[in-house]
Amino acid sequence: MTGLVRLLAGYYRIRVRGAAPELALYRLTQAHIPFWDIVRTDDFASDISIRRKDWDQVTAIASRVQEGADLLGEHGLLCHFRGLKKRKLFVLSVLLCLGLAYLLPNFVWCLHVEGNVVVPEQQILRELQELGVGFGTWGPSIVPQDLKNQMLNQVPALEWLTVNQSGGLATVVVRERQPASAIVDRRQVTNLIASRDCIVTKMEVFSGQAVCKTGQSMRAGELLVSGYADWEHCIQATRSLGEIYGRTWRQQRAVIPADWDFQSDSGGTHTRYALLLGRKRINFFQNSGIWYPECDKMVMYRQLTLPGGYSFPLTLVVETARERTVTAGELKQREAEDTLKTGTAAAARSDMVAGEIVREDLKVRRGSGVYELTGVYECHEMVARTAPAILMESEDNK
């Protein structure tokens, strides 16, 4: 600590000259003047370090007992800052930097969202911006409790929210509201029926009584598992549960136009730039946003990312337009087949709760201005569906 104080206050390095430099050092000790770093340079001189304020007293003592003392150099921070009196602009710049270093961390420059899965991050940031929390917001003005109450009203999918600020980074921690599970009435008696015509291939019945077996053909709507199980001495009413798979067939028909408009690159390319700073857009071009009538526009966003993966709200927008020439042409049959098969297969899969397409028998032919696909998809899928059971259904049908 003493060395740090000496460095801050400053000190002199001097040389005491004379026939016996030890006598001068003895006189300084008697006068209670501290000195340190004694170096004997020769028989008639010694170098020591003293405090700046003791210089006059040390020179007086050295003159009385020796030939005198010479100043070798001044050390410490004060001697370095003395020359700043002539560099006022530099001093002002340093003070400005220190002030900015104190103030800037109190503003919000980056926002990072954690804990969101379903709610998009951009939606959360957009709603926060509407509430006054965004790029350049004064951090101490953010009241997490009030902000949470307002955000929960704006985004009902959120259950909890808070904002933790560390310097210029504001971390938005959210917890999403878990969707309530569907209420199942366990007292309701239900059956499992076939969703479409099928041949049963696999049965797993967890509750209820199966009324079909593997390999049996079933019509759409026929009973697969009954909610009333006959145990001879009693009839048990329950909610039927199970998974029943079967082979099904789907008739498909789809058409696509044969005549199309095709685009070709004419060679012309135009690029323009813009800058997004927070919610403000700065365009580096003078014309309007209307491009050429026949062109393809591609927009690339290059956002500034800080170390650690935190995104800074500074984005370079690069818009590129390529001129195209539109010409009429005919769609090739191979392309038409691929498009039709992809679409019908996707439609068949989306219609199944669980399962897969095991075989297809499709034909594509050229008609009057169109390509037409017809055929059958053979599928293996889960065909059981829940339906309410009618009490004493067998008696009601008599």
Side-chain angles (χ1 to χ4, degrees), residues 34-154:
F35 57 91
W36 61 93
D37 294 341
I38 305 171
V39 178
R40 186 70 177 264
T41 57
D42 54 40
D43 294 338
F44 304 101
S46 294
D47 294 347
I48 62 174
S49 298
I50 63 173
R51 297 179 299 185
R52 295 178 64 256
K53 66 179 181 179
D54 298 332
W55 167 249
D56 294 336
Q57 191 175 357
V58 169
T59 53
I61 294 175
S63 298
R64 288 196 301 266
V65 299
Q66 298 289 328
E67 294 183 5
D70 298 329
L71 180 62
L72 299 178
E74 184 179 359
H75 302 275
L77 295 179
L78 186 62
C79 67
H80 297 289
F81 290 151
R82 189 173 297 146
L84 296 179
K85 294 180 180 179
K86 299 179 181 180
R87 306 178 63 184
K88 297 181 180 180
L89 182 60
F90 176 75
V91 174
L92 291 177
S93 301
V94 172
L95 295 178
L96 178 61
C97 292
L98 293 176
L100 292 177
Y102 175 77
L103 291 177
L104 290 182
N106 293 305
F107 289 89
V108 175
W109 304 113
C110 297
L111 284 94
H112 178 64
V113 181
E114 295 181 353
N116 62 310
V117 177
V118 178
V119 182
E121 178 180 352
Q122 294 301 324
Q123 180 184 358
I124 297 176
L125 296 179
R126 185 169 56 252
E127 295 296 341
L128 287 173
Q129 186 70 40
E130 295 295 332
L131 296 176
V133 178
F135 176 72
T137 302
W138 176 249
S141 66
I142 301 175
V143 183
Q145 184 63 32
D146 296 342
L147 184 63
K148 181 194 73 172
N149 295 334
Q150 296 175 5
M151 279 294 294
L152 295 185
N153 290 331
Q154 296 294 110

Side-chain angles (χ1 to χ4, degrees), residues 215-255:
Q216 183 175 348
S217 298
M218 305 297 296
R219 303 286 295 180
E222 285 189 342
L223 184 64
L224 300 176
V225 179
S226 175
Y228 294 102
D230 188 358
W231 302 109
E232 296 183 355
H233 60 282
C234 68
I235 296 178
Q236 180 185 8
T238 184
R239 183 178 182 84
S240 299
L241 296 175
E243 291 185 359
I244 300 177
Y245 283 79
R247 293 171 56 194
T248 61
W249 292 263
R250 283 178 166 79
Q251 298 288 338
Q252 296 290 341
R253 182 181 180 275
V255 295

Side-chain angles (χ1 to χ4, degrees), residues 298-347:
M298 181 175 63
V299 183
M300 296 180 60
Y301 296 92
R302 299 177 180 176
Q303 190 171 18
L304 176 62
T305 303
L306 301 179
Y310 301 110
S311 297
F312 194 76
L314 181 63
T315 304
L316 176 65
V317 182
V318 182
E319 298 180 354
T320 304
R322 292 183 174 86
E323 296 183 15
R324 302 292 187 183
T325 302
V326 180
T327 56
E330 183 177 344
L331 185 65
K332 297 181 181 179
Q333 184 167 354
R334 184 60 181 175
E335 297 177 354
E337 289 181 2
D338 293 341
T339 303
L340 290 171
K341 290 180 179 180
T342 300
T344 54

Side-chain angles (χ1 to χ4, degrees), residues 124 144 147-148 151-152 158-163 172-174:
I124 297 176
L147 184 63
K148 181 194 73 172
M151 279 294 294
L152 295 185
L158 297 181
E159 185 180 30
W160 181 80
L161 177 142
T162 190
V163 178
V172 183
V173 183
V174 301

